[in-house]
Tab-separated table of all heavy atoms in Angstrom:
chain	number	residue	atom	x	y	z
M	265	ARG	N	-129.224	26.207	25.864
M	265	ARG	CA	-129.552	25.214	24.884
M	265	ARG	C	-128.173	24.635	24.434
M	265	ARG	O	-127.454	25.269	23.779
M	265	ARG	CB	-130.290	25.826	23.735
M	265	ARG	CG	-131.793	26.094	24.126
M	265	ARG	CD	-132.481	27.017	23.115
M	265	ARG	NE	-133.910	27.143	23.361
M	265	ARG	CZ	-134.426	27.860	24.208
M	265	ARG	NH1	-133.681	28.603	25.012
M	265	ARG	NH2	-135.695	27.828	24.416
M	266	VAL	N	-128.082	23.291	24.621
M	266	VAL	CA	-126.855	22.631	24.209
M	266	VAL	C	-127.194	21.664	23.083
M	266	VAL	O	-127.950	20.703	23.218
M	266	VAL	CB	-126.316	21.800	25.428
M	266	VAL	CG1	-124.971	21.106	24.951
M	266	VAL	CG2	-125.983	22.794	26.577
M	267	ALA	N	-126.723	21.975	21.951
M	267	ALA	CA	-126.981	21.179	20.771
M	267	ALA	C	-125.787	20.153	20.590
M	267	ALA	O	-124.652	20.609	20.467
M	267	ALA	CB	-127.100	21.965	19.476
M	268	VAL	N	-126.078	18.892	20.608
M	268	VAL	CA	-124.974	17.833	20.473
M	268	VAL	C	-125.025	17.306	19.030
M	268	VAL	O	-126.040	16.649	18.642
M	268	VAL	CB	-125.236	16.749	21.505
M	268	VAL	CG1	-124.131	15.697	21.403
M	268	VAL	CG2	-125.384	17.277	22.891
M	269	LEU	N	-124.026	17.573	18.233
M	269	LEU	CA	-124.013	17.122	16.905
M	269	LEU	C	-122.951	15.991	16.787
M	269	LEU	O	-121.793	16.148	16.833
M	269	LEU	CB	-123.491	18.277	16.008
M	269	LEU	CG	-124.241	19.603	16.119
M	269	LEU	CD1	-123.632	20.590	15.186
M	269	LEU	CD2	-125.712	19.460	15.987
M	270	LEU	N	-123.563	14.786	16.709
M	270	LEU	CA	-122.746	13.539	16.691
M	270	LEU	C	-122.541	13.133	15.290
M	270	LEU	O	-123.194	12.202	14.725
M	270	LEU	CB	-123.379	12.489	17.514
M	270	LEU	CG	-123.589	12.739	18.985
M	270	LEU	CD1	-124.224	11.666	19.713
M	270	LEU	CD2	-122.258	13.168	19.677
M	271	GLY	N	-121.708	13.793	14.555
M	271	GLY	CA	-121.480	13.420	13.144
M	271	GLY	C	-122.502	13.986	12.243
M	271	GLY	O	-123.666	13.811	12.447
M	272	ALA	N	-122.090	14.607	11.182
M	272	ALA	CA	-123.096	15.178	10.252
M	272	ALA	C	-122.640	15.037	8.790
M	272	ALA	O	-123.327	15.547	7.910
M	272	ALA	CB	-123.303	16.739	10.504
M	273	GLY	N	-121.503	14.292	8.563
M	273	GLY	CA	-121.073	14.247	7.077
M	273	GLY	C	-120.650	15.612	6.568
M	273	GLY	O	-120.212	16.505	7.361
M	274	GLU	N	-120.728	15.725	5.313
M	274	GLU	CA	-120.360	17.062	4.655
M	274	GLU	C	-121.536	18.008	4.797
M	274	GLU	O	-122.635	17.709	4.484
M	274	GLU	CB	-119.922	16.771	3.243
M	274	GLU	CG	-118.660	15.985	3.073
M	274	GLU	CD	-117.497	16.749	3.581
M	274	GLU	OE1	-117.524	18.036	3.565
M	274	GLU	OE2	-116.549	16.126	4.087
M	275	LEU	N	-121.210	19.191	5.234
M	275	LEU	CA	-122.227	20.204	5.369
M	275	LEU	C	-122.269	20.955	4.104
M	275	LEU	O	-121.274	21.255	3.388
M	275	LEU	CB	-121.895	21.200	6.532
M	275	LEU	CG	-121.671	20.641	7.822
M	275	LEU	CD1	-121.534	21.752	8.928
M	275	LEU	CD2	-122.935	19.771	8.310
M	276	ASN	N	-123.499	21.387	3.711
M	276	ASN	CA	-123.668	22.291	2.503
M	276	ASN	C	-123.254	23.735	2.968
M	276	ASN	O	-123.035	24.013	4.082
M	276	ASN	CB	-125.028	22.178	1.928
M	276	ASN	CG	-126.157	22.614	2.874
M	276	ASN	OD1	-125.925	23.485	3.743
M	276	ASN	ND2	-127.284	21.875	2.938
M	277	ARG	N	-123.351	24.556	1.988
M	277	ARG	CA	-122.906	25.923	2.232
M	277	ARG	C	-123.757	26.673	3.249
M	277	ARG	O	-123.212	27.358	4.223
M	277	ARG	CB	-122.874	26.723	0.921
M	277	ARG	CG	-122.279	28.152	1.025
M	277	ARG	CD	-122.336	28.797	-0.365
M	277	ARG	NE	-121.780	30.162	-0.249
M	277	ARG	CZ	-121.670	30.938	-1.288
M	277	ARG	NH1	-121.944	30.552	-2.529
M	277	ARG	NH2	-121.210	32.218	-1.116
M	278	HIS	N	-125.040	26.437	3.234
M	278	HIS	CA	-125.917	27.119	4.143
M	278	HIS	C	-125.702	26.612	5.510
M	278	HIS	O	-125.653	27.374	6.484
M	278	HIS	CB	-127.394	26.917	3.719
M	278	HIS	CG	-128.412	27.475	4.695
M	278	HIS	ND1	-128.616	28.840	4.863
M	278	HIS	CD2	-129.238	26.845	5.629
M	278	HIS	CE1	-129.484	29.012	5.816
M	278	HIS	NE2	-129.844	27.840	6.257
M	279	GLU	N	-125.549	25.303	5.650
M	279	GLU	CA	-125.347	24.702	7.030
M	279	GLU	C	-124.030	25.159	7.572
M	279	GLU	O	-123.973	25.502	8.783
M	279	GLU	CB	-125.482	23.170	6.879
M	279	GLU	CG	-126.793	22.643	6.543
M	279	GLU	CD	-126.840	21.128	6.143
M	279	GLU	OE1	-125.665	20.628	5.952
M	279	GLU	OE2	-127.819	20.552	6.234
M	280	ARG	N	-123.018	25.209	6.776
M	280	ARG	CA	-121.738	25.651	7.287
M	280	ARG	C	-121.777	27.084	7.718
M	280	ARG	O	-121.252	27.512	8.816
M	280	ARG	CB	-120.686	25.466	6.199
M	280	ARG	CG	-119.237	25.948	6.522
M	280	ARG	CD	-118.666	25.215	7.689
M	280	ARG	NE	-118.382	23.850	7.361
M	280	ARG	CZ	-117.828	22.921	8.218
M	280	ARG	NH1	-117.500	23.414	9.408
M	280	ARG	NH2	-117.698	21.704	7.882
M	281	THR	N	-122.553	27.920	6.991
M	281	THR	CA	-122.623	29.301	7.392
M	281	THR	C	-123.364	29.447	8.711
M	281	THR	O	-122.994	30.218	9.604
M	281	THR	CB	-123.389	30.112	6.289
M	281	THR	OG1	-122.650	30.020	5.081
M	281	THR	CG2	-123.565	31.549	6.643
M	282	GLN	N	-124.437	28.742	8.833
M	282	GLN	CA	-125.222	28.809	10.088
M	282	GLN	C	-124.374	28.296	11.271
M	282	GLN	O	-124.458	28.829	12.395
M	282	GLN	CB	-126.550	28.065	9.936
M	282	GLN	CG	-127.504	28.581	8.865
M	282	GLN	CD	-128.058	29.881	9.227
M	282	GLN	OE1	-127.303	30.915	9.233
M	282	GLN	NE2	-129.400	29.979	9.511
M	283	LEU	N	-123.690	27.207	10.993
M	283	LEU	CA	-122.801	26.685	12.157
M	283	LEU	C	-121.754	27.653	12.513
M	283	LEU	O	-121.529	27.860	13.754
M	283	LEU	CB	-122.172	25.351	11.664
M	283	LEU	CG	-121.230	24.666	12.609
M	283	LEU	CD1	-121.993	24.169	13.872
M	283	LEU	CD2	-120.524	23.435	11.974
M	284	GLU	N	-121.136	28.351	11.595
M	284	GLU	CA	-120.139	29.301	11.967
M	284	GLU	C	-120.718	30.456	12.720
M	284	GLU	O	-120.154	31.069	13.622
M	284	GLU	CB	-119.428	29.857	10.688
M	284	GLU	CG	-118.571	28.788	10.008
M	284	GLU	CD	-117.991	29.200	8.742
M	284	GLU	OE1	-118.458	30.222	8.221
M	284	GLU	OE2	-117.189	28.464	8.130
M	285	ARG	N	-122.001	30.812	12.386
M	285	ARG	CA	-122.711	31.903	13.120
M	285	ARG	C	-122.921	31.497	14.561
M	285	ARG	O	-122.704	32.319	15.475
M	285	ARG	CB	-123.993	32.288	12.426
M	285	ARG	CG	-123.846	33.053	11.092
M	285	ARG	CD	-125.187	33.128	10.451
M	285	ARG	NE	-125.084	33.944	9.263
M	285	ARG	CZ	-126.126	34.011	8.295
M	285	ARG	NH1	-127.196	33.321	8.467
M	285	ARG	NH2	-125.917	34.798	7.310
M	286	LEU	N	-123.325	30.257	14.748
M	286	LEU	CA	-123.608	29.789	16.085
M	286	LEU	C	-122.305	29.735	16.902
M	286	LEU	O	-122.208	30.118	18.090
M	286	LEU	CB	-124.262	28.417	16.097
M	286	LEU	CG	-125.675	28.386	15.587
M	286	LEU	CD1	-126.167	26.987	15.428
M	286	LEU	CD2	-126.605	29.218	16.477
M	287	LEU	N	-121.235	29.257	16.319
M	287	LEU	CA	-119.913	29.217	16.988
M	287	LEU	C	-119.398	30.559	17.328
M	287	LEU	O	-118.737	30.729	18.420
M	287	LEU	CB	-118.899	28.496	16.107
M	287	LEU	CG	-119.077	26.980	15.852
M	287	LEU	CD1	-118.146	26.458	14.818
M	287	LEU	CD2	-118.943	26.167	17.159
M	288	ARG	N	-119.819	31.580	16.578
M	288	ARG	CA	-119.332	32.920	16.790
M	288	ARG	C	-120.213	33.695	17.816
M	288	ARG	O	-119.718	34.376	18.612
M	288	ARG	CB	-119.265	33.671	15.486
M	288	ARG	CG	-118.644	35.048	15.557
M	288	ARG	CD	-118.407	35.648	14.205
M	288	ARG	NE	-119.714	35.826	13.508
M	288	ARG	CZ	-120.122	35.103	12.453
M	288	ARG	NH1	-119.339	34.086	12.041
M	288	ARG	NH2	-121.300	35.384	11.864
M	289	THR	N	-121.548	33.464	17.698
M	289	THR	CA	-122.416	34.319	18.565
M	289	THR	C	-123.296	33.517	19.504
M	289	THR	O	-124.018	34.185	20.331
M	289	THR	CB	-123.359	35.068	17.534
M	289	THR	OG1	-124.210	34.119	16.812
M	289	THR	CG2	-122.545	35.914	16.617
M	290	GLY	N	-123.327	32.211	19.382
M	290	GLY	CA	-124.282	31.443	20.210
M	290	GLY	C	-124.065	31.516	21.717
M	290	GLY	O	-124.995	31.617	22.497
M	291	ALA	N	-122.781	31.472	22.201
M	291	ALA	CA	-122.483	31.331	23.642
M	291	ALA	C	-123.088	32.542	24.373
M	291	ALA	O	-123.555	32.400	25.494
M	291	ALA	CB	-121.025	31.257	23.898
M	292	ALA	N	-123.000	33.724	23.836
M	292	ALA	CA	-123.566	34.911	24.550
M	292	ALA	C	-125.120	34.824	24.715
M	292	ALA	O	-125.598	35.447	25.635
M	292	ALA	CB	-123.219	36.175	23.762
M	293	CYS	N	-125.747	34.044	23.918
M	293	CYS	CA	-127.201	33.943	24.032
M	293	CYS	C	-127.615	32.526	24.561
M	293	CYS	O	-128.768	32.195	24.457
M	293	CYS	CB	-127.851	34.072	22.665
M	293	CYS	SG	-127.534	35.772	21.944
M	294	GLY	N	-126.675	31.854	25.177
M	294	GLY	CA	-126.981	30.606	25.892
M	294	GLY	C	-127.098	29.396	24.952
M	294	GLY	O	-127.688	28.424	25.296
M	295	VAL	N	-126.579	29.488	23.727
M	295	VAL	CA	-126.633	28.453	22.784
M	295	VAL	C	-125.238	27.893	22.597
M	295	VAL	O	-124.281	28.582	22.233
M	295	VAL	CB	-127.172	28.867	21.412
M	295	VAL	CG1	-127.105	27.683	20.410
M	295	VAL	CG2	-128.577	29.322	21.502
M	296	HIS	N	-125.042	26.627	22.967
M	296	HIS	CA	-123.738	25.993	23.001
M	296	HIS	C	-123.782	24.686	22.166
M	296	HIS	O	-124.732	23.993	22.078
M	296	HIS	CB	-123.326	25.642	24.415
M	296	HIS	CG	-123.311	26.822	25.337
M	296	HIS	ND1	-122.305	27.726	25.377
M	296	HIS	CD2	-124.264	27.245	26.171
M	296	HIS	CE1	-122.577	28.669	26.235
M	296	HIS	NE2	-123.753	28.430	26.752
M	297	LEU	N	-122.621	24.367	21.548
M	297	LEU	CA	-122.451	23.240	20.667
M	297	LEU	C	-121.469	22.275	21.196
M	297	LEU	O	-120.371	22.741	21.693
M	297	LEU	CB	-122.073	23.649	19.289
M	297	LEU	CG	-122.964	24.570	18.517
M	297	LEU	CD1	-122.388	24.957	17.139
M	297	LEU	CD2	-124.393	24.098	18.439
M	298	ILE	N	-121.844	20.997	21.303
M	298	ILE	CA	-120.847	19.921	21.532
M	298	ILE	C	-120.771	19.102	20.229
M	298	ILE	O	-121.821	18.488	19.820
M	298	ILE	CB	-121.266	19.028	22.698
M	298	ILE	CG1	-121.342	19.926	23.988
M	298	ILE	CG2	-120.323	17.921	22.841
M	298	ILE	CD1	-121.792	19.019	25.233
Side-chain angles (χ1 to χ4, degrees):
R265 285 167 171 79
V266 179
V268 184
L269 309 182
L270 300 180
E274 291 295 328
L275 302 185
N276 59 40
R277 182 177 180 180
H278 175 74
E279 292 170 343
R280 177 63 65 178
T281 299
Q282 298 293 67
L283 180 64
E284 291 173 353
R285 287 173 175 165
L286 292 173
L287 292 171
R288 187 173 61 254
T289 63
C293 298
V295 175
H296 304 277
L297 303 179
I298 298 177

